[in-house]
Amino acid sequence: MISAAQLKKFSSLLQKKYRDEEHLFLIEGEKLIVEALRAGKVISAVMKLNGHSVSDELESRLNKKHIEIDNVKTEQFRRLTDTVHPQGIVAVVSSEGLIRDDIGGVSAPVVLYLNSITDPGNMGTILRTCHWFGVKEVVLSKECVEVLNPKVLRSAMGAVFNLNFYLLPSGRLVELKKSGYKILVSDMNGEDISDMKPHPKVVIVMNNEAHGADNSVLQTADGIISIPGSGKAESLNVAIATGIILFKITTL
Amino acid sequence: MISAAQLKKFSSLLQKKYRDEEHLFLIEGEKLIVEALRAGKVISAVMKLNGHSVSDELESRLNKKHIEIDNVKTEQFRRLTDTVHPQGIVAVVSSEGLIRDDIGGVSAPVVLYLNSITDPGNMGTILRTCHWFGVKEVVLSKECVEVLNPKVLRSAMGAVFNLNFYLLPSGRLVELKKSGYKILVSDMNGEDISDMKPHPKVVIVMNNEAHGADNSVLQTADGIISIPGSGKAESLNVAIATGIILFKITTL
């Protein structure tokens, strides 16, 4: 049985401050929990609403790891989720080593650099898209919304467990350049991506929709790339733009 | 000055039922109002929070149409918006003729058919993307979320005023086929869009993420198209998939 102190601690993980302090985060719903287990993540507790039923797959996966499911009451369960329609089961996962700050070992052909992506829905959708296209290396500027934010986790749909994250200020993009990466920045009035040429190692930089690329990014850029449009709309949503560019670059 | 009865009527427009009955809808924020005026939409009232300042552009556009801005108190203004951080100004716009059910006159090279797109954020982002790529003809199945839903309007960012909408059950897709359109349905295990060939008149059908294409859609299809992926993720977000396909088809 879960103690009052444990419940309080787990409930606090809905806030970034405590996620940072405890190196733990909450995930909700069976699908995400299975995804975390599949990816070999360390789960320290699983709690379900009294009477909520669990699939055989989840049960057997948890059994293998000797993880027990705690049954909790409705009032307790509500403290573990920020959703209006909770999914009946949550898990506490270790975030140890999930976000690195050393990009020295990165050598994948395509790396995504997210510069000040602050909207959780956009962040989650971008991560889900990375997973689709097999772009595993995701570098975040420190202004980005936290990838362990519950809203990000929901729209990422398990992608978080299949990607490698790095935290790197935009001023340090030059480190990737020095290791042989070509830095392509998405912005207005750049080269039409339809004319993009393949390159063995490329970093795609996506910027905040409202602020665009900052100077340190532009100074490091080997090229500016743009998505062709009819010229009538002001801008594209950043997650849509990322999807289109990742499609283009992974099918060159 | 705005009367209590008017305020009540305008406030009711936050609900679909009254939008349908009155053929009116609410838009919030100066940008959207300017966009509606630019597109020649009929605005029947503009209300702003006491003390909220308005740009010269908006003022002169409203003056030209002899539309006055009503100043309202905070409590009154709150009844006109569903946002947590209201933008200080709202307008009531006529929806007369905005959504047609006769697709007889449609002849654009690319038509987008949205089948059961129920999430307002996805719908809004899709419409914004259509506007970017100059895809003006958007056909909606009756299960789609209403395009005049406040959340859709927010994420569409003015695109709604620049597109032509049609309401058409998927069973009637055959009408577009008869008028010379090739019907391409986005689904799993279809033809890789990288190999897509240009066609003078094409309807792209996007389906609900959870339910996929229904039988009436599949029976009308001339082809199934898919976005190539690494095979590790279950699916792409429908707005991302739409963005990628519209990019591909408009740059062939």
Side-chain angles (χ1 to χ4, degrees):
Chain A
M1 236 201 48
I2 184 171
S3 70
Q6 278 176 309
L7 184 68
K8 192 178 167 189
K9 176 178 156 184
F10 295 156
S11 170
S12 77
L13 299 174
L14 290 172
Q15 294 165 64
K16 181 176 190 309
K17 183 187 161 193
Y18 296 102
R19 286 194 290 270
D20 287 347
E21 269 181 33
E22 303 283 349
H23 300 286
L24 292 172
F25 64 106
L26 285 168
I27 55 174
E28 187 174 340
E30 176 153 337
K31 259 191 147 171
L32 267 190
I33 301 173
V34 169
E35 201 67 44
L37 286 162
R38 256 190 216 148
K41 299 295 161 187
V42 177
I43 290 188
S44 49
V46 180
M47 290 144 288
K48 73 174 185 69
L49 194 58
N50 247 331
H52 177 87
S53 66
V54 163
S55 76
D56 291 345
E57 184 188 0
L58 179 59
E59 203 145 353
S60 92
R61 280 186 185 274
L62 289 171
N63 275 341
K64 267 185 214 156
K65 303 248 174 184
H66 310 288
I67 303 167
E68 278 184 30
I69 304 182
D70 272 306
N71 278 290
V72 300
K73 292 180 198 150
T74 310
E75 314 84 78
Q76 295 176 309
F77 194 81
R78 276 210 194 105
R79 292 178 53 194
L80 298 167
T81 165
D82 66 345
T83 49
V84 186
H85 304 290
Q87 297 200 45
I89 187 160
V90 297
V92 178
V93 188
S94 166
S95 62
E96 214 75 64
L98 196 107
I99 301 173
R100 291 167 250 183
D101 53 14
D102 178 15
I103 48 108
V106 173
S107 64
V110 181
V111 172
L112 182 65
Y113 184 84
L114 299 175
N115 190 20
S116 302
I117 306 301
T118 51
D119 180 85
N122 281 340
M123 176 62 86
T125 306
I126 289 173
L127 302 180
R128 184 176 166 197
T129 308
C130 284
H131 188 34
W132 178 268
F133 287 114
V135 172
K136 284 196 75 164
E137 313 296 316
V138 179
V139 190
L140 310 155
S141 81
K142 62 182 193 310
E143 299 81 9
C144 283
V145 59
E146 191 202 7
V147 294
L148 305 179
N149 172 302
K151 279 188 197 163
V152 173
L153 292 171
R154 273 198 293 282
S155 44
M157 296 186 82
V160 168
F161 303 121
N162 297 283
L163 304 173
N164 302 320
F165 295 103
Y166 307 86
L167 199 64
L168 195 81
S170 55
R172 279 181 57 200
L173 257 175
V174 70
E175 294 179 27
L176 282 162
K177 193 169 169 138
K178 279 180 186 158
S179 68
Y181 276 97
K182 189 171 178 173
I183 315 288
L184 295 183
V185 179
S186 166
D187 207 354
M188 303 302 263
N189 309 316
E191 195 193 348
D192 186 333
I193 59 160
S194 313
D195 306 325
M196 212 145 102
K197 303 275 176 297
H199 197 276
K201 282 168 81 182
V202 68
V203 178
I204 300 293
V205 181
M206 299 304 301
N207 301 290
N208 180 286
E209 283 179 45
H211 310 127
D214 50 67
N215 279 339
S216 68
V217 163
L218 291 172
Q219 277 160 14
T220 324
D222 293 298
I224 310 290
I225 50 172
S226 300
I227 297 167
S230 68
K232 281 167 192 153
E234 233 177 85
S235 66
L236 267 178
N237 167 282
V238 65
I240 299 288
T242 307
I244 293 169
I245 293 173
L246 292 186
F247 160 71
K248 185 68 197 173
I249 200 111
T250 57
T251 55
L252 273 178
Chain B
M1 233 197 56
I2 186 172
S3 70
Q6 277 176 311
L7 184 70
K8 193 179 167 188
K9 178 178 155 183
F10 295 156
S11 168
S12 77
L13 299 174
L14 290 171
Q15 293 166 64
K16 182 177 188 309
K17 183 187 162 195
Y18 296 101
R19 287 193 290 271
D20 287 347
E21 268 180 33
E22 303 282 350
H23 301 287
L24 292 171
F25 63 105
L26 285 167
I27 55 174
E28 188 176 338
E30 176 154 336
K31 259 191 147 169
L32 267 190
I33 301 174
V34 168
E35 200 67 45
L37 286 163
R38 255 189 216 149
K41 299 295 163 189
V42 177
I43 291 189
S44 49
V46 180
M47 291 143 289
K48 75 173 185 66
L49 195 56
N50 248 330
H52 178 84
S53 66
V54 163
S55 76
D56 292 344
E57 185 189 357
L58 179 59
E59 203 146 351
S60 93
R61 281 186 184 274
L62 289 172
N63 275 342
K64 267 185 212 154
K65 303 247 176 186
H66 310 288
I67 302 167
E68 278 182 29
I69 304 182
D70 272 307
N71 278 291
V72 300
K73 292 181 199 149
T74 309
E75 314 87 77
Q76 294 176 309
F77 194 81
R78 276 211 195 105
R79 293 177 55 194
L80 298 167
T81 164
D82 66 344
T83 48
V84 187
H85 304 289
Q87 298 199 44
I89 186 161
V90 298
V92 178
V93 188
S94 165
S95 62
E96 212 77 61
L98 196 108
I99 301 171
R100 291 167 252 183
D101 54 12
D102 178 15
I103 48 109
V106 173
S107 64
V110 181
V111 171
L112 182 65
Y113 184 85
L114 299 174
N115 191 19
S116 302
I117 305 302
T118 51
D119 180 84
N122 281 340
M123 175 62 87
T125 306
I126 290 173
L127 300 181
R128 184 176 165 195
T129 307
C130 283
H131 188 34
W132 177 269
F133 286 115
V135 172
K136 285 195 74 162
E137 314 295 318
V138 179
V139 190
L140 311 155
S141 81
K142 61 181 195 306
E143 300 81 10
C144 282
V145 58
E146 192 202 7
V147 294
L148 305 179
N149 173 301
K151 278 189 198 164
V152 173
L153 291 172
R154 273 198 291 283
S155 47
M157 297 185 83
V160 168
F161 303 121
N162 297 282
L163 304 172
N164 301 319
F165 294 105
Y166 307 86
L167 198 65
L168 195 81
S170 56
R172 278 181 57 200
L173 258 176
V174 69
E175 295 177 26
L176 282 161
K177 192 168 169 141
K178 278 179 186 161
S179 67
Y181 276 97
K182 189 170 177 175
I183 314 288
L184 295 183
V185 179
S186 167
D187 207 355
M188 303 302 264
N189 308 317
E191 195 194 345
D192 186 332
I193 60 159
S194 314
D195 305 323
M196 212 146 101
K197 301 275 176 298
H199 198 277
K201 284 168 79 182
V202 67
V203 177
I204 300 293
V205 181
M206 299 304 301
N207 303 291
N208 181 284
E209 284 178 44
H211 310 125
D214 51 65
N215 278 339
S216 68
V217 163
L218 291 172
Q219 277 162 13
T220 324
D222 292 299
I224 309 289
I225 51 172
S226 300
I227 297 168
S230 69
K232 281 169 191 152
E234 232 176 83
S235 67
L236 267 178
N237 167 283
V238 66
I240 299 287
T242 308
I244 293 169
I245 293 174
L246 292 187
F247 159 72
K248 185 68 197 172
I249 200 114
T250 57
T251 55
L252 274 179

